[in-house]
Amino acid sequence: MDVRGHQQQQLKLRSVKRWTFWSLSIAIISLVLLLYNNRPAKSNQTWSNYKPASQAQFKAKPRKTACGAVGQDPPGEKAPLLPVNGTHTLLLSAYLEHRTENQEVRVIAVVLGSEAAAYRCHLCCEGHNISTSLHISEGHVNIHKDYFGFQYGTADIMCPVPSGCKTPSHVSVTSAAEDPDVGPPVFLAVLNQRTSDSFPHNFTVCISTMFDFTNVLQLVQSMEMLQLLGVSRVVIYKTSCDADTQRLLDYYTDKGFIEVIPWSMSDHLNVSKSWRPEKAPGDLHYYGQIPALNDCVYRYMYQSRYVALHDVDELILPQSVDRWNDLMPLLEQKNGADKCYMFENYIFPPTFKLPPPVSETHHYLQDKEKPTWQGISGVNILDHLYHEPNTRVVRDNFKIIVSPRAVIETSVHGLLSSYASCVWVDNSLARMYHTRAPSQTGLTPDKLIYDGRLLGYSARLIQAVNTVLKDAGLIQKDI
Ligand SMILES: *[C@@H]1O[C@H](CO)[C@@H](O)[C@H](O)[C@H]1NC(C)=O
Ligand SMILES: *[C@@H]1O[C@H](CO)[C@@H](O)[C@H](O)[C@H]1NC(C)=O
Ligand SMILES: *[C@@H]1O[C@H](CO)[C@@H](O)[C@H](O)[C@H]1NC(C)=O
Ligand SMILES: *[C@@H]1O[C@H](CO)[C@@H](O)[C@H](O)[C@H]1NC(C)=O
């Protein structure tokens, strides 16, 4: 071998060594980062002890330092809940507001009601050079009036867009009491950059706060019913669920039907399990349901003609037509387009399992059509066709279908602030079927009222549910 050949071989050998060294280093660094980022989240933290964790979080995810990193949030990092240093405020998400006279960025937040913090907005405006594209404006906080007696509530921090800022792509909020020269550590992407009047979805259902969820059968039944009704997207703010539920969520996410938004409110606040602090103590109403609903409305504002704000155990069924697509024209004829509709809430307690009345047996499922869902945990809505006698709860606990563009602030039952008023839907046109624990005490079967509307869907529902349970691997294929 001549000298040249020898040198070439040595060069090759060296480059192989270098390559090996760098690959190994990158692999080790990636592994360490991966493990660190996926370390188990601390739960049950309160304001007094959560700060160190949140600062560690800033170090671990320097994903949007300054204006540099422009773009969408990486998958699985939506709704990251950014604490505002020096306050008890948590930032959830940011949306460009197109409906007001002067352009503003709306930052959806959770605030301590008694704190009255003042805020400074930092807006990144077109371009990656922080010294030319960062604009500062004074944030105005608007605390939503529904917070059901808890210390924390939902708020909008409105950030005026200065005239020099054409495209506010990212925003962050600091306390006005902090040094103005100390920039915020992390930015949120400003969503809804453009308006649209052609929507990929006619109906999006916003299901807030899934927490320790195990009601697998009712979940799959609801998802399939919603598809029969014309819904093409369901948004679920998820904290925790069992393994079978997770399989279903993964299945529907792959199909593009469900969008899961990780909901880490309980990492930051002591969330209540109920709607009043007397019923279950905590800092924030019902797992943070209200900020989640507000986020969903804004997230889908230009993606969905209508949004329905109801829970997974609730189904709005039209009475004279089959699908929401055919119901809405009936309602719009009477009230005009882009309105808000309220549906009465009928409770079907699963504590009773009664066959339909004799006069209705022609609707009842023949034994051979009955599904075999024994291994699946949760409520079978087809077994519970009797509702509680009507009380004022029917109209107190209503839910809505609304054009998201008509909403400014939403609560659990109806809107707090909007561009359109809400109108009642007559219960002969549609009503809500709520299969859940009884609200009335001392109920006996003779007091319950039969409503077999669901059986009008049962043949299609059973077939669809069987298909999903098999495809998701929850029941055997050969059954
Ligand atoms: C949450 O707060 C309530 C009321 O202050 C308290 O009873 C409960 O122990 C707290 N839970 C945690 C995990 O901090
Ligand atoms: C929060 O504020 C404290 C005191 O002003 C400061 O030392 C700290 O670096 C700040 N943390 C972040 C993440 O901005
Ligand atoms: C950013 O803009 C400033 C002011 O125009 C300029 O001095 C600086 O060099 C720019 N930085 C980069 C990275 O382009
Ligand atoms: C929305 O509704 C219209 C009119 O009923 C229909 O043509 C269209 O296919 C629907 N889109 C979706 C995504 O379901």
Side-chain angles (χ1 to χ4, degrees):
M1 193 189 285
D2 63 1
V3 177
R4 243 180 88 105
H6 186 74
Q7 269 179 347
Q8 266 179 356
Q9 209 163 24
Q10 275 214 325
L11 271 175
K12 245 190 237 159
L13 198 68
R14 229 180 283 159
S15 84
V16 167
K17 271 189 192 160
R18 209 180 301 149
W19 187 84
T20 314
F21 172 76
W22 283 113
S23 318
L24 268 175
S25 311
I26 289 168
I28 289 169
I29 291 169
S30 309
L31 192 68
V32 168
L33 281 178
L34 197 72
L35 288 175
Y36 188 64
N37 275 324
N38 292 318
R39 69 199 184 281
K42 288 189 191 133
S43 57
N44 296 334
Q45 285 173 327
T46 61
W47 278 113
S48 54
N49 68 7
Y50 96 90
K51 277 188 178 159
S54 70
Q55 272 161 19
Q57 196 182 19
F58 289 149
K59 268 185 228 139
K61 300 176 186 171
R63 52 197 181 82
K64 284 190 214 75
T65 43
C67 298
V70 176
Q72 284 294 316
D73 285 344
E77 289 212 24
K78 288 169 186 161
L81 294 172
L82 302 181
V84 176
N85 212 359
T87 73
H88 292 113
T89 302
L90 289 168
L91 308 179
L92 173 56
S93 51
Y95 298 94
L96 195 54
E97 178 55 78
H98 299 277
R99 301 166 298 172
T100 49
E101 207 172 306
N102 298 313
Q103 218 181 29
E104 299 169 287
V105 170
R106 176 186 304 272
V107 179
I108 300 180
V110 168
V111 301
L112 175 62
S114 60
E115 187 169 65
Y119 301 100
R120 186 180 294 125
C121 302
H122 304 252
L123 291 154
C124 283
C125 307
E126 61 201 307
H128 297 229
N129 186 338
I130 188 152
S131 66
T132 53
S133 57
L134 190 68
H135 292 252
I136 291 182
S137 64
E138 189 188 328
H140 301 279
V141 67
N142 163 43
I143 302 183
H144 296 200
K145 77 171 181 2
D146 264 11
Y147 53 103
F148 299 103
F150 290 94
Q151 287 194 63
Y152 285 79
T154 310
D156 301 305
I157 300 171
M158 301 305 296
C159 298
V161 178
S163 55
C165 174
K166 286 212 183 65
T167 313
S169 66
H170 289 74
V171 68
S172 198
V173 172
T174 55
S175 161
E178 298 272 297
D179 179 355
D181 292 334
V182 177
V186 189
F187 283 76
L188 296 168
V190 177
L191 306 179
N192 290 353
Q193 288 287 336
R194 275 175 291 282
T195 63
S196 168
D197 49 18
S198 86
F199 310 109
H201 304 287
N202 287 323
F203 300 106
T204 295
V205 177
C206 296
I207 293 185
S208 53
T209 58
M210 175 177 271
F211 201 96
D212 290 348
F213 189 89
T214 58
N215 192 352
V216 178
L217 187 54
Q218 194 168 359
L219 174 69
V220 60
Q221 288 181 330
S222 288
M223 293 305 108
E224 294 310 306
M225 274 304 297
L226 291 174
Q227 290 182 73
L228 294 176
L229 293 167
V231 172
S232 53
R233 175 57 57 87
V234 172
V235 186
I236 298 181
Y237 291 76
K238 190 205 90 176
T239 300
S240 52
C241 64
D242 67 3
D244 283 357
T245 301
Q246 189 57 49
R247 273 182 105 116
L248 282 176
L249 294 180
D250 293 343
Y251 170 86
Y252 283 120
T253 303
D254 284 350
K255 294 257 176 220
F257 180 62
I258 287 184
E259 178 182 14
V260 174
I261 300 201
W263 190 242
S264 58
M265 192 61 80
S266 53
D267 291 352
H268 298 278
L269 283 180
N270 189 343
V271 294
S272 173
K273 292 177 171 47
S274 184
W275 71 284
R276 294 285 309 176
E278 310 85 82
K279 294 190 180 275
D283 302 321
L284 184 66
H285 166 268
Y286 201 66
Y287 306 113
Q289 179 181 32
I290 297 175
L293 287 175
N294 279 277
D295 179 70
C296 188
V297 166
Y298 280 90
R299 203 170 278 271
Y300 278 84
M301 190 160 277
Y302 301 106
Q303 290 190 59
S304 195
R305 186 174 302 281
Y306 284 102
V307 291
L309 306 181
H310 64 70
D311 293 332
V312 74
D313 56 2
E314 296 170 322
L315 287 170
I316 292 167
L317 300 186
Q319 303 295 293
S320 55
V321 293
D322 201 47
R323 313 177 76 213
W324 289 2
N325 305 57
D326 305 317
L327 171 67
M328 296 323 280
L330 302 179
L331 302 176
E332 286 171 349
Q333 268 163 27
K334 234 165 99 183
N335 306 286
D338 279 1
K339 288 290 188 311
C340 163
Y341 297 99
M342 301 182 283
F343 297 86
E344 292 181 355
N345 178 351
Y346 294 82
I347 293 175
F348 290 70
T351 36
F352 297 92
K353 190 172 171 178
L354 307 164
V358 179
S359 59
E360 292 283 328
T361 43
H362 60 283
H363 279 318
Y364 199 49
L365 302 172
Q366 301 299 312
D367 265 345
K368 63 177 165 42
E369 294 167 6
K370 278 196 182 159
T372 49
W373 297 329
Q374 275 83 4
I376 309 296
S377 73
V379 171
N380 177 2
I381 57 175
L382 290 168
D383 277 343
H384 311 291
L385 304 175
Y386 289 78
H387 65 79
E388 295 185 343
N390 303 348
T391 61
R392 53 186 281 268
V393 170
V394 167
R395 286 212 162 181
D396 276 356
N397 290 340
F398 68 94
K399 292 291 170 72
I400 58 171
I401 294 180
V402 62
S403 159
R405 294 160 303 285
V407 180
I408 301 172
E409 294 171 19
T410 186
S411 185
V412 184
H413 308 284
L415 305 176
L416 296 178
S417 171
S418 63
Y419 294 107
S421 52
C422 294
V423 293
W424 282 108
V425 174
D426 193 280
N427 61 29
S428 65
L429 275 178
R431 53 178 87 175
M432 192 166 70
Y433 293 68
H434 192 176
T435 311
R436 53 149 278 177
S439 74
Q440 298 177 29
T441 50
L443 279 176
T444 48
D446 57 300
K447 293 197 182 121
L448 297 171
I449 299 160
Y450 175 74
D451 181 337
R453 178 72 185 111
L454 196 57
L455 294 182
Y457 298 88
S458 61
R460 286 174 292 162
L461 177 63
I462 290 168
Q463 199 179 19
V465 167
N466 281 338
T467 303
V468 172
L469 290 175
K470 282 176 196 166
D471 288 354
L474 294 175
I475 57 177
Q476 278 174 359
K477 291 253 183 206
D478 50 19
I479 291 181

